[in-house]
Amino acid sequence: MCGIVGYHGHRKPKDIILDGLKTLEYRGYDSAGVAIFDHGQVKRIRAEGKLSKLESQLQSLDFDGRTGIGHTRWATHGTPSERNAHPHTVDGISIVHNGIIENYLEIRDYLLAMGRKISSDTDSELVAHLIAMEVPKTKDLLGAILNIIPKLEGAYSIVVIWDQKADEIVSFKSGPPLILGIGEKEHIIASDIQAIVPYTKNIIYLEDHEIAQIKGQHYTIYNSKGEVLKKPIVEMHWTVDRARKQGYPHFMLKEIYEQPRTVAAVVKPFISLDTETLDFSNLQKNSTIPDLESELQKLERLVIIGCGTSYYAGLTAEYFIEKIAQIPVEVELASEFRYRNPFLPKNTMVLFISQSGETADTVAALRKVKDMGFYTMSLCNVPHSTIDREAHVRMYMNCDAEVGVASTKAFTASIAFLNIFSLYLGKLKNKVNVAAEKSHVRDVMDLPAQMEKALSYADFFKDHAESLKTFKGFLFIGRGVSYPIALEGALKLKEITYLHSEGYAAGEMKHGPIALVDNKMCVIAIAPKDELFEKTISNVEELNARGANIVSLGTGQNEKLKRLSQQGYLALPDAHWSLTPILSVIPLQLMAYHLSNSLGYDVDQPRNLAKSVTVE
Ligand code: AGP
C-alpha cells in the first residue's frame, strides 16, 4: 500500500523524506511526490513511476523550510499518473493519504455542488477540499480536521500541512498504520517504522480515531473529540542495518538465507535447552486472559484465520495441532470469514496469523470475533501492529523486518512456532508424554542445520531457470502436511514470476487437474518419506505417464521417485513429519526467486502487489 513520511524539525526535510520513502518502496507503488515549505510557501513536486524520477526532479532544488510531507502511491482510485500522485494541494492545504475513502462519490457530488474544481480522479484530493473549506471557519488546522473526520467513511491514514503554518503537521487515521517518531527537536510521522528508525527509537503508534499534531518542537495526541490523550512512548530496537540488504542483491534472497537463524530465534524463547523440553511460561506475560493455561486446557476447537501465505501457515498448523494435540482445527480465509455468519461453539479460541499485523481483512475478522465474545490470539511479526495490539494473546514470528513482498522467513517462522505451540497444546491436553516431547524438541533443535542443506538447492534452480521458465504452467502437488506447501510454492512462483501456477492436493489430480497435463506442463511434486508417500508417488506416476515434466522433492536418495523426475530430484534431509514443511518450502522459495530473476522482474516489489494489504 501507499508510503507516507512527514517531517518537522531542525533539519531540512527533503532528504529525510526521500530516504524515508525509499525504505517504504517495498510496499509497492506507481508514483511519488513531496510538498515542502520553501520561503514561506509550500512547494509540491510529483512524478509518475519510481522514486528515482522524483529524486532527479528534486536534485537541484533546495527548500529552506523545516516542514514537509512525502508519499509513494499504490493506485486505488485513478490511474497511476502525476495528476493523481500525492500530495494533493487545495487552497494551501496539502495532504498525503493511505487507504480508501469509501464514501468518496457522495463527497465528490457534494463538492461539485459547492462549485469546487476537482483536478484528479482520486478520493484523497476530496479530503483536501473538505479541510480547505473548513479551515477559514476554524482558523486552525486541527479544528478543521476534527470537523471533517465525521464526514469520512473507510480506512485511511492522512497527513496534512497548511501553507499558513510552517511549523505544523496534523495526522489522523482509521485503519492503515501511522507511527509518530519522537526525536531531539524533531518529529517524523510515517506509515512504517523503517522510515523512522534512522532518526529515533522513541515512537508512538497512533490508534484508530486518534489525531497527532506536531507544532514546533512539541507534539500532542488528541481523540476524535479534541481531548488530549497521554500515550506511552515505545522504544523500538530495530536498527537500520537489519532493515538493509546486507550484501544480498534482493531483500527476498537475504530473507530466504536468514531462515535457519530466524527459525532458531522463534523457537528459542520456548525451549529449555538443558532439559530439552518446552517452556511456555512466558506466554502469560503477553496475555490479557487472566489464566491463559487453563483456558487452553479447556480448548475444544481452534479456528485459525489469515490471508495468503499466512493462511497457508494456518493450513499447515492444522495438521500439527489435530495430530499432536488432538484438538479440532478449522482454517479460514479472513476475507471470507468476515462476511459470513460463522458459528463458533463454546471453548473455541481464534488465532490470527499476519506478518504485517495490518492486513485489513484479518483486522476486520479479529474485531468480528472479539465482538462475538471469543478469545483471540495473534501471531505477528510487527510488534505493536494493529492485530498485535488488539488480540487477547500476543505471539510473535520474531524474524525482524521482512521486506520482500513475497513472504519467506515469516512463513517458516510461523510454521516453526506453530509446531512447538501444537506440542505445548498436546502437553496441556495430556496427549504428549515427556519422552515424546523431548524427542520432538530435539528434532526442532536439529532443524536449522537441516535447513542449510535445503538452501544448497539454490544452484539447481539458478542453473535450471532458463529451461523451467519455458513451461506453459506449473502444478505444485502434495498430500497431508505437504499440501499447504504446494499451495505456498504456487503462490511464491505466481507472485514474483507472473507465470501461471496452481497448488493442488495430489489426491485431487483425477478429479480434473490432470486434464491440464501434457509435455508443456511442469509438475513440482512434494513427496517426503511419510505415511502418504506411496499414495503421492502413484500420483506422480500418473502424471509422468501423461508427459508431465516433473521436479520432485523427496527424502534422501529415493530411486523410485528419482526415476520419475526427469526435470530434477531434490533430496531433502530426513526429519520429523511435522518439520518437513519447513524443509520442503525452501527449494520452492529458491525456485520462485531464481525464475523471477532470470525473467528480469523486480523480485522485491512485484507488479500489482503490496507488502501489506491495508485496504480491502
Ligand atoms: C505472501 O507472499 C504475500 N505477500 C501475501 O499473500 C501475504 O502473505 C498476505 O497478504 C498476508 O499478509 P500478512 O501476513 O501481513 O497478513
Side-chain angles (χ1 to χ4, degrees):
M1 299 342 277
C2 307
I4 289 177
V5 180
Y7 177 84
H8 172 71
H10 58 86
R11 287 186 271 189
K12 291 191 173 181
K14 180 177 84 171
D15 292 339
I16 292 174
I17 291 172
L18 275 177
D19 291 345
L21 293 177
K22 282 178 192 161
T23 68
L24 306 179
E25 280 191 290
Y26 73 88
R27 298 166 72 95
Y29 67 102
D30 41 55
S31 56
V34 299
I36 302 175
F37 273 85
D38 184 37
H39 292 93
Q41 294 182 328
V42 172
K43 277 214 182 109
R44 182 184 67 170
I45 315 281
R46 301 180 295 176
E48 189 186 340
K50 291 299 183 190
L51 265 181
S52 49
K53 279 183 71 178
L54 176 68
E55 201 164 13
S56 55
Q57 290 185 43
L58 293 174
Q59 210 142 29
S60 57
L61 301 178
D62 180 31
F63 303 84
D64 77 343
R66 294 295 185 270
T67 303
I69 55 177
H71 187 265
T72 49
R73 178 174 181 254
W74 190 81
T76 53
H77 294 72
T79 54
S81 63
E82 182 180 336
R83 190 169 72 93
N84 288 329
H86 301 209
H88 288 285
T89 300
V90 175
D91 302 344
I93 296 287
S94 294
I95 83 160
V96 289
H97 164 222
N98 179 20
I100 288 182
I101 306 298
E102 295 193 350
N103 61 331
Y104 78 99
L105 289 174
E106 175 195 324
I107 295 174
R108 187 182 174 88
D109 292 345
Y110 162 71
L111 292 171
L112 291 171
M114 298 294 284
R116 303 295 296 187
K117 295 276 170 284
I118 295 169
S119 61
S120 78
D121 311 321
T122 69
D123 54 346
S124 315
E125 182 201 348
L126 310 182
V127 180
H129 279 281
L130 291 176
I131 298 171
M133 291 163 70
E134 198 64 26
V135 83
K137 299 176 209 160
T138 60
K139 305 283 184 251
D140 88 312
L141 191 52
L142 176 68
I145 286 171
L146 285 168
N147 290 351
I148 67 104
I149 285 176
K151 299 188 170 88
L152 306 179
E153 290 169 20
Y156 52 80
S157 289
I158 293 174
V159 177
V160 190
I161 57 177
W162 180 24
D163 62 4
Q164 302 304 305
K165 299 282 180 191
D167 66 346
E168 185 175 359
I169 301 179
V170 179
S171 316
F172 57 104
K173 76 170 280 254
S174 173
L178 261 187
I179 304 152
L180 174 64
I182 300 141
E184 282 300 309
K185 301 197 187 76
E186 60 185 359
H187 294 88
I188 184 164
I189 184 92
S191 42
D192 196 308
I193 182 75
Q194 308 204 47
I196 296 173
V197 164
Y199 309 99
T200 177
K201 291 185 171 31
N202 297 322
I203 58 168
I204 288 179
Y205 277 82
L206 277 193
E207 309 264 358
D208 285 353
H209 316 305
E210 290 180 348
I211 298 104
Q213 179 193 43
I214 299 167
K215 203 170 176 66
Q217 294 188 11
H218 306 287
Y219 73 91
T220 313
I221 310 284
Y222 299 89
N223 64 16
S224 53
K225 296 192 196 77
E227 296 157 343
V228 174
L229 295 174
K230 287 307 285 158
K231 297 273 292 180
I233 294 177
V234 174
E235 193 179 351
M236 278 299 266
H237 296 290
W238 278 1
T239 60
V240 175
D241 292 348
R242 280 208 241 174
R244 291 224 168 107
K245 295 178 189 169
Q246 288 161 7
Y248 285 91
H250 297 100
F251 280 109
M252 182 180 176
L253 195 60
K254 164 181 164 283
E255 289 152 8
I256 288 173
Y257 279 92
E258 279 180 334
Q259 293 179 109
R261 181 180 66 73
T262 49
V263 159
V266 74
V267 300
K268 190 160 169 288
F270 304 97
I271 286 176
S272 146
L273 293 176
D274 50 352
T275 61
E276 292 184 330
T277 54
L278 293 180
D279 174 7
F280 270 78
S281 53
N282 278 335
L283 206 53
Q284 183 64 53
K285 202 172 58 186
N286 291 330
S287 161
T288 55
I289 300 174
D291 182 352
L292 175 60
E293 197 146 284
S294 65
E295 280 305 322
L296 292 174
Q297 267 157 344
K298 286 188 311 193
L299 197 59
E300 291 173 14
R301 172 179 293 277
L302 181 69
V303 177
I304 303 178
I305 296 180
C307 299
T309 288
S310 291
Y311 170 68
Y312 297 148
L315 284 178
T316 310
E318 178 176 16
Y319 290 89
F320 306 158
I321 297 168
E322 291 198 336
K323 181 151 186 177
I324 297 168
Q326 296 172 38
I327 296 172
V329 174
E330 64 185 71
V331 188
E332 300 267 6
L333 284 170
S335 54
E336 286 299 310
F337 182 88
R338 67 179 289 193
Y339 294 114
R340 280 218 323 267
N341 296 304
F343 171 71
L344 300 180
K346 68 177 179 47
N347 292 329
T348 296
M349 287 177 81
V350 186
L351 166 64
F352 296 85
I353 304 176
S354 175
Q355 189 283 134
S356 63
E358 299 296 351
T359 298
D361 286 321
T362 313
V363 170
L366 169 68
R367 290 173 177 167
K368 181 189 186 92
V369 168
K370 287 178 75 174
D371 290 347
M372 291 166 70
F374 287 87
Y375 279 137
T376 58
M377 296 185 278
S378 64
L379 178 58
C380 294
N381 192 35
V382 181
H384 311 288
S385 57
T386 302
I387 293 168
D388 178 50
R389 282 180 285 119
E390 297 188 9
H392 295 100
V393 186
R394 301 182 305 283
M395 302 183 289
Y396 297 97
M397 297 168 193
N398 194 23
C399 59
D400 288 342
E402 182 180 72
V403 178
V405 166
S407 184
T408 51
K409 63 178 182 174
F411 180 67
T412 48
S414 299
I415 292 182
F417 176 80
L418 291 168
N419 189 280
I420 58 170
F421 187 62
S422 60
L423 192 63
Y424 171 58
L425 292 176
K427 274 180 73 178
L428 293 179
K429 292 285 188 180
N430 300 315
K431 306 291 182 191
V432 174
N433 62 34
V434 173
E437 175 189 358
K438 282 178 174 256
S439 159
H440 192 126
V441 165
R442 274 195 295 277
D443 286 336
V444 171
M445 288 161 71
D446 292 346
L447 192 56
Q450 294 172 322
M451 294 170 76
E452 297 292 353
K453 169 91 178 93
L455 284 165
S456 69
Y457 285 116
D459 292 340
F460 172 87
F461 287 109
K462 209 186 298 181
D463 301 344
H464 290 72
E466 285 306 312
S467 58
L468 285 171
K469 71 187 186 185
T470 58
F471 290 116
K472 75 172 180 183
F474 297 82
L475 211 46
F476 291 74
I477 65 167
R479 281 179 183 260
V481 76
S482 297
Y483 164 46
I485 301 307
L487 296 172
E488 171 61 9
L491 175 62
K492 286 287 91 59
L493 190 70
K494 72 181 75 164
E495 69 177 324
I496 62 174
T497 67
Y498 320 146
L499 294 169
H500 184 257
S501 56
E502 285 184 72
Y504 250 98
E508 274 293 288
M509 287 301 102
K510 287 194 285 292
H511 301 287
I514 201 164
L516 286 171
V517 172
D518 56 24
N519 61 8
K520 295 192 263 328
M521 177 64 88
C522 182
V523 170
I524 316 295
I526 305 152
K529 202 88 180 92
D530 58 20
E531 59 194 17
L532 296 167
F533 173 73
E534 292 306 330
K535 300 282 181 201
T536 307
I537 202 162
S538 59
N539 296 127
V540 177
E541 281 165 340
E542 288 159 8
L543 296 164
N544 183 54
R546 287 160 179 79
N549 302 278
I550 297 171
V551 176
S552 290
L553 280 62
T555 303
Q557 292 311 319
N558 187 312
E559 291 310 320
K560 196 173 178 187
L561 191 52
K562 215 187 256 184
R563 268 199 310 280
L564 293 164
S565 313
Q566 65 290 81
Q567 290 295 331
Y569 173 75
L570 309 182
L572 294 173
D574 197 1
H576 187 273
W577 69 271
S578 68
L579 300 174
T580 55
I582 293 174
L583 297 175
S584 47
V585 75
I586 291 175
L588 307 185
Q589 296 167 343
L590 291 164
M591 173 181 177
Y593 174 81
H594 286 292
L595 261 68
S596 178
N597 228 5
S598 152
L599 288 161
Y601 294 143
D602 188 337
V603 173
D604 284 331
Q605 300 165 36
R607 70 182 182 192
N608 305 342
L609 292 179
K611 182 61 182 171
S612 175
V613 184
T614 56
V615 292
E616 279 190 67

